[in-house]
Amino acid sequence: RLFFFFYDPMSDEVLLVLKAVVVVGGLIAAAFFLASSRVTVPDDQDSFLVALQRIGKLNSIGAAGASAAAIAALVLWAMGESG
């Protein structure tokens, strides 16, 4: 178990917030990864580069959401909460 200084790590509020972060982070990741896969890439070079930049930005937001969900899930696991 992790050592927490100022609050009970197994309180219902802490568990609810961590579970909400897992769910919301997963939804954000799914939504932005889906949006990046739906970007059409044109044939001309100027528009091609703009489309790639847009895909990269959408993927980075999706990765941030997935990272938040993974960190919250790791904390839940370390606290001994299985779900």
Side-chain angles (χ1 to χ4, degrees):
R1 292 184 184 257
L2 294 176
F3 183 76
F4 294 93
F5 291 105
F6 300 112
Y7 54 86
D8 177 21
M10 295 303 283
S11 71
D12 290 339
E13 294 84 13
V14 171
L15 294 176
L16 180 66
V17 168
L18 287 173
K19 289 177 182 180
V21 170
V22 170
V23 170
V24 171
L27 289 173
I28 288 171
F32 280 96
F33 287 146
L34 176 65
S36 71
S37 70
R38 304 284 299 165
V39 173
T40 57
V41 180
D43 289 335
D44 61 290
Q45 188 174 8
D46 292 334
S47 300
F48 176 81
L49 294 176
V50 171
L52 284 181
Q53 289 175 343
R54 179 166 170 72
I55 291 170
K57 289 177 186 177
L58 291 171
N59 279 331
S60 67
I61 295 170
S67 298
I71 290 169
L74 177 66
V75 171
L76 283 171
W77 173 79
M79 291 170 58
E81 181 67 24
S82 61

